[in-house]
Amino acid sequence: MPRSVNHVASKAKRTKILKKTKGYYGARKNVWTVAKNTYEKGLTYAYRDRRNKKRNFRALWIQRINAAARLYDMSYSQLMGALHKNGIEINRKVLADLAANNQEAFKAIVDKVK
């Protein structure tokens, strides 16, 4: 019995990966094994960096809050401690946005917890 190989599906699979690696440098875009490895490694980086993105944004928000709080003679940790002690539930994302774009509202929050 002759060997049965589904060339249509295997070629389609290769073509799909090679289309996704379009724009890569050198053999990474057109040599099947190199392109496949590059594509798979890219997926692992994407998975990892979706998590790192959250860390980076939290760090950015903390830096912005700290910089704004120091204008009113408080550190970040003092401000956050005072917010929790006074029962003010506001997350870092919103607080950083107020610090950057609406200083009056941020000052009102700082004055409330002082």
Side-chain angles (χ1 to χ4, degrees):
M1 187 169 193
R3 190 166 76 101
S4 174
V5 181
N6 191 352
H7 283 296
V8 176
S10 53
K11 185 170 180 359
K13 185 172 80 173
R14 284 195 299 272
T15 308
K16 189 171 79 174
I17 299 283
L18 288 172
K19 274 187 181 173
K20 290 180 179 174
T21 59
K22 188 177 167 190
Y24 286 12
Y25 180 78
R28 296 170 148 243
K29 69 173 166 280
N30 56 12
V31 176
W32 162 243
T33 52
V34 180
K36 181 173 68 79
N37 291 339
T38 303
Y39 173 71
E40 288 172 355
K41 186 121 186 205
L43 290 178
T44 63
Y45 284 144
Y47 178 82
R48 179 197 70 189
D49 291 337
R50 280 195 296 274
R51 276 126 196 93
N52 287 354
K53 184 176 167 186
K54 295 164 183 60
R55 291 180 216 162
N56 292 338
F57 269 106
R58 184 180 170 101
L60 176 67
W61 298 330
I62 289 171
Q63 289 168 12
R64 286 181 177 171
I65 294 166
N66 191 23
R70 288 186 185 277
L71 295 175
Y72 305 109
D73 301 322
M74 286 184 98
S75 70
Y76 167 79
S77 62
Q78 290 169 339
L79 175 65
M80 295 310 284
L83 284 172
H84 292 300
K85 190 185 286 183
N86 288 310
I88 298 173
E89 295 286 326
I90 186 165
N91 64 18
R92 287 163 182 81
K93 182 178 178 180
V94 173
L95 205 56
D97 187 55
L98 289 176
N101 300 322
N102 194 349
Q103 280 95 13
E104 302 85 32
F106 187 80
K107 186 175 184 338
I109 292 171
V110 171
D111 290 339
K112 182 145 174 99
V113 298
K114 266 191 173 176

